[in-house]
Amino acid sequence: KTCTVGFSNVDYSYSGQYTCSTKNIINSQEKSSSATLQINVYSHTDVTMTTTPPPGGRAYYLTGDPLTITCSVEGVPRSSFNFTKDNSVIKSYKNVSSDSNVTTSDHSVVYKHTISKLNLNDNAEFSCNSNNSFKSGNTNLDSEKVVIKVYEPVSVTMSVSSPYPSLGSEVIISCTATGSDTPSSVTLSKVRADGSVTTITSSGSDNSFCTKSSYKLDCSYTISSIGYSNNGTYKCLAKNNVNGTEKEDTKSDDIEVSSQVKASFSNVGEKEVSYGSTYQITCGVEGGKAPHKVTLVTPTSGTFTWQSASSSNSLQCNTVDSVQNKLNCLRSINTNQYQGEGKYKCTGYNYLPNPGTSEKSSSSDLTLVITKDVMVDLTPSSMEIEYGQGMSLRCSADGGRVPHFLSVNHEEGGEGGEGVSLVEYDKENNKISDEVTVVGHNISYVKSISSFNYSDDGEYVCTGKNRAANKKETKKSETTNLIVVKEVEIHSIQNLEVDFGKSIMIPEIKVEGGRPPHLISLLSPNGKSSVLYSSTTTQHFSGKHVKNCTNYTVAAKSDYSHDGRYTVTAENRAHSNTIKTSRMSFNVTVFKAVETELVLKDGKQTIDVTKSAVNLTYGVNLTIQCNVNGGRMPSKVVIKAKDKTLSYTRNENNSNLNCVGGHELVCKYIFTPGYLDDGIYSCLSENFVRNEKKTQQKSAVVTIVRKTEIDLLDVKNNKTALLTNESTVITCRIVGKPLIDKESVNWTHESKAVDLSKNFTVMKGEDDFTWVSVLNLTELSLDLSGKFTCHAGMSYRSVRLVIADKVYLDDPIFSEFSMEEVEKNTTLRIQCTISGFPTKVVSVTVFSPAEERQVTLSGPIYVPEQEKTISIDHQIGCNDKEFRCTVKTIAEDGRVIEQKETVLAAPLVTGCQGTPSTYKSALIAVSATLVFTVLVIIIGGFGVCKFYITIKEKRRNVVMMDDLKLNPCYEDTQVPRQPSITTQPQDALISPDLEKEEYTYVKMSA
């Protein structure tokens, strides 16, 4: 059977378990069976939200109101839900909940969210979200929301960081405004004493004043350095909007600066005031509360007081700022003579506004400094001071501030010339001297000198320093020059003894004087003066007033020239700059043991005496020279020449040896040694060195030798020009040591070895060192003319014999001159030509009024049948008249066999002047073949004047008067004077007889 039951309009009550039961009987047994069916009525989820209304019938919620929000959810299966506030889950429900705020049924869930007091954070959107699922895979959702708006009127709080701040401290004023719809504005203002309000700042005008956060404005105003002007009441006003209505709130607070009284001078610490000026001291006093008492303590005038409650005050104080509670208190100071200088103290008194505080005080110090540049005084002024005299030196400095520095420097003090500090007071650098006296603003130093000496000479500089305006250091110096005067003095110098060749060194030269010596010189024995010290020569001496020279080297290597007396001369300028001179002498003795040198001179030849044997030439002057040197000077010299002894003793007059010199002594003895003068020749000398006798002897062994020679070849009567048929004797003497053999003597004629043995003999001479050979020649013939030679070994000597019977002489001439006149001092060569065979003796004579000189050819002249020209050079003078050539042939007995003479007239000599007068006489030698000029001498009372006559003449012609020409004569004044000439015609003619080669003389007068 099928049984069916139908339902309409099903609701949740139809849900449940349904049972279907059936029975039948089987085998008498009742059988039953049942089946169950669970029926669930499902539905979609459905949410409903409700709220409790605002109390008091208001249409809006305020903070503090209660509120309940109910969330009802229906649906089968039973729904789950999430309750959120601004999307943040507050409550979540699924199936079963034990939450008391949740009520459930088979098909519903109710949740109630209760807020006992609303606050601004409850301004939010609340929602209820549900879901269920009754079909597989399908989820049913539903939600509902409600927005809650909570209002709160604005509320402001105010605070200050310190109600009684210290003056100058930082104060922060804070205003915090809260309320719904974040407060729209906050304004900070100050209420004046008259009730008026001044806005300080606001959130609308200053973005930095407030910081905005949720439902709040945090505002802050800072007074970084609070002053008395900041005292007063401050008000903070905040505004907002509540459901269209503006709400506001105000708070206020007081600030009163709590500052201890403060006193301060217009200048802090130290005030500089110029010396002699007037200065007004100003002390400012302020504080919170206002000062009621001020005192001023001065360094010299006591204490002055001002009190607000007193009508008779010794200190003048005036209110300069009532807001600042500030007073100025005044006092005038006069700074003459440094009055009022020192430390001032100003003290102010007040009470603090803080409850329960006691009287407060504050002080300020001011040091008044009177400034004045430092002034310095130094006595005495520059002057000369006698060496050894006493004196005092005073240096002082004055100034404001008190001088902190005083020094006295002896700029040129001491012998070194360097600055010496006598005192240095430097307070700033902690250099304090007991020698410096400080009295007030003056510091001084006094130096007493009992005996003024060289070290006290020079410039003294007094220097003072202080710090004047702006503490700038001022400095002043005064200088005085104290000059020590003393005449220059040379200390004694010891005598020196040195060995020859060693250096001469003066151990010490010490010169002193004031003013300092400016010139020191050394005069040597040789008269040479050397400057040891001057303005340009300073290297030898050290010191200033006392000049010291140690180990001065006179000579690096001494010799005899350095022996003798030396003198040191020094100069200085003493009193009134007058030059003074001092001298000191000392002796230098150069010692050297005597040295001897033996010198032998054979004629002009010096002989080497170092050989074992010395040969000297016989007959030649021998010079024995003894060269001696020594220091002290050689005292004795002895020369021995074989048996001869000659001696010299210094400072004795009986010496027989001639010596010249001092330290270097030269002694000579000259004689002609003979054959027998062989022997020892010596020189002995002596001297004294430091009182010790020194001697030295040099000697040589001498042998006298003579070279074989012919020392005489003599022709009888010295006649070598002979006539035929005459006789003569030629003697030849041979000398030598040792002497050659007799057989070595022979004769030759014209270099030909002829046998003349029958004509000569050889015999012993006057000693063992001489041969004499005599050659006899008789009946001379022309073929014996020529050279005869005597031979003796390698020595020979010749003589020329000229055998003749006639000679010829030509007219003399002027070589290379044919002019009629020559200049004075011109050199003329006069030539004479001779001829003949074969022998003649020729002489040329120059004759003039001033001189007569003759040139004769030495010895016989051999002229083999040819001409021979003899010439002489002569410098012509104004007095020369004529020249002659003369030839003589002389017989054996001296007779003049024949003589020839020719005359040459002198030419006119120009350049000779004088005064014409009467002509005495003149011989005019006229050659038969010349055109020449004759010089005429005129002697007058005023001098000598010369003129000349030109004579033109030809052989065998006469010279007429018309041919005579008289030239002008000049006086010293160069004015020509024309002389006259008078002759007789017959005297003016040259003889026409010119056949003979002779001269004709013409005599004239003028």
Side-chain angles (χ1 to χ4, degrees), residues 90 149 174 190 264 330 353 450 488 494 536 674 676 686 795 835 957 975:
I90 296 176
K149 177 66 175 175
S174 300
K190 182 179 179 183
S264 63
L330 310 175
S450 59
V488 65
Q494 66 186 43
T536 58
L676 303 179
E686 69 177 37
S795 178
S835 61
N957 287 338
V975 177

Side-chain angles (χ1 to χ4, degrees), residues 454-520:
Y454 300 132
S455 63
D456 301 316
D457 177 274
E459 281 189 349
Y460 290 81
V461 180
C462 172
T463 302
K465 297 179 186 178
N466 81 331
R467 296 200 176 272
N470 299 318
K471 293 188 178 180
K472 181 179 180 181
E473 187 175 72
T474 66
K475 177 181 178 180
K476 190 70 179 289
S477 296
E478 289 290 335
T479 301
T480 184
N481 191 17
L482 303 183
I483 304 170
V484 61
V485 288
K486 180 181 179 182
E487 292 187 8
V488 65
E489 176 187 354
I490 304 174
H491 291 228
S492 63
I493 303 173
Q494 66 186 43
N495 295 328
L496 302 179
E497 295 181 347
V498 296
D499 292 328
F500 185 91
K502 301 295 184 179
S503 64
I504 301 175
M505 188 176 294
I506 305 174
E508 182 182 38
I509 303 175
K510 187 175 182 180
V511 182
E512 66 171 280
R515 296 175 177 86
H518 60 266
L519 179 65
I520 303 172

Side-chain angles (χ1 to χ4, degrees), residues 341-363:
E341 184 177 61
K343 186 175 182 180
Y344 292 77
K345 180 183 285 292
C346 178
T347 306
Y349 300 87
N350 80 333
Y351 293 96
L352 297 181
N354 308 47
T357 57
S358 60
E359 184 183 54
K360 303 296 182 182
S361 65
S362 172
S363 297

